[in-house]
Amino acid sequence: RNDRGHARNRFLCNPPESCSSEDSTFLEQIHYKATSSYFIVNAVGADRPGIVSEISKHVTDAGGNVGQSQAAKLGEYFSLMMLISIPNKQAGHAFQSNLRNLRGLNATAFEIDAPHTIPTPSIGYSGHFTLQGADHP
């Protein structure tokens, strides 16, 4: 049952039109998690504008999503780690191959089991936030 007390059929709504949009979303999420490939991406190289954008584009071009990421500038170098999901094995292998062609970066993607969902605490913030960096002056 979901938080509204409605029963969820994890396998099939019968007839299909009896599925609520909430049930359909739930079923799509289960299917995505079951068929997706998950990777930890590590990339290190000389710092230059557009590194994060370039790697993120390869992820989205493969139909994937970036879950968590962490980046650091170390002197004249840049280091990036990302937890990503890609919808199927074939796209995941193509993504790994594309990483090898990134200019000036040593980038690898390690395939991992589906990560467990870690609850994220709710953080309240009200205000205006402006971010500037080498990529976006």
Side-chain angles (χ1 to χ4, degrees):
R1 293 192 176 272
N2 64 19
D3 59 350
R4 294 188 186 115
H6 298 107
R8 286 195 171 168
N9 183 333
R10 293 178 179 246
F11 306 105
L12 180 66
C13 293
N14 194 5
E17 54 276 1
S18 70
C19 286
S20 69
S21 63
E22 185 177 296
D23 286 332
S24 295
T25 301
F26 177 73
L27 293 169
E28 288 169 10
Q29 289 170 348
I30 287 176
H31 177 74
Y32 182 84
K33 190 162 186 167
T35 60
S36 293
S37 294
Y38 295 86
F39 298 90
I40 293 178
V41 175
N42 285 313
V44 178
D47 191 25
R48 62 178 169 79
I51 294 173
V52 174
S53 175
E54 187 175 351
I55 293 174
S56 297
K57 182 175 181 344
H58 283 290
V59 173
T60 57
D61 285 351
N65 293 301
V66 175
Q68 298 173 350
S69 65
Q70 188 172 22
K73 184 171 188 227
L74 307 166
E76 299 296 317
Y77 295 90
F78 182 81
S79 175
L80 172 69
M81 290 189 332
M82 288 180 166
L83 173 62
I84 66 164
S85 61
I86 295 183
N88 63 60
K89 296 266 186 210
Q90 185 177 6
H93 294 303
F95 170 77
Q96 283 179 303
S97 178
N98 289 337
L99 280 184
R100 294 184 195 107
N101 298 323
L102 293 175
R103 176 180 60 88
L105 288 176
N106 180 357
T108 56
F110 299 95
E111 190 164 5
I112 61 170
D113 293 332
H116 299 290
T117 303
I118 300 171
T120 304
S122 177
I123 299 172
Y125 175 78
S126 177
H128 181 75
F129 181 75
T130 302
L131 179 64
Q132 293 183 337
D135 287 35
H136 304 284

